Amino acid sequence: MVDLNKIAVNLKVLPLEEQEAIVNLIQLKTETDMDKVLNKLDAMETKFDAKFEAMDSKFDILRWLLMALIAIIPIALTIFGYFNK
């Protein structure tokens, strides 16, 4: 783990211009790393969206099949009752 207190003490020993240069490099590195993390999160979000889209498609098919079954049952009962007379 990085000891920030130790880094701050070491920075105070350096001249102001060098401190600013080092802090700017640290900020640049942090921004670059954060961009990589955000890109990775965007890629993960895209994968999750694709998986959820596929699941939603499967549920649409199941919902359609259930509705068709609910519609067919009364028709089948009516036809069964008609031929059982």
Side-chain angles (χ1 to χ4, degrees), residues 5-82:
N5 291 327
K6 187 176 179 182
I7 292 173
V9 169
N10 290 337
L11 275 176
K12 287 182 182 179
V13 175
L14 298 173
L16 184 60
E17 295 82 22
E18 290 180 14
Q19 288 180 19
E20 290 176 357
I22 290 172
V23 169
N24 287 338
L25 287 173
I26 291 171
Q27 287 177 340
L28 182 63
K29 174 72 170 137
T30 304
E31 288 177 13
T32 302
D33 290 349
M34 187 56 68
D35 286 341
K36 289 179 184 177
V37 169
L38 291 174
N39 289 337
K40 187 99 169 178
L41 287 173
D42 287 341
M44 288 173 61
E45 181 183 12
T46 302
K47 286 170 78 176
F48 284 137
D49 286 346
K51 287 182 181 182
F52 286 132
E53 189 75 28
M55 282 179 36
D56 192 35
S57 163
K58 289 178 185 176
F59 284 124
D60 284 344
I61 292 170
L62 290 175
R63 187 178 18 220
W64 183 86
L65 287 173
L66 181 63
M67 294 301 287
L69 184 63
I70 290 172
I72 290 173
I73 289 173
I75 294 170
L77 290 174
T78 303
I79 293 173
F80 181 73
Y82 179 77

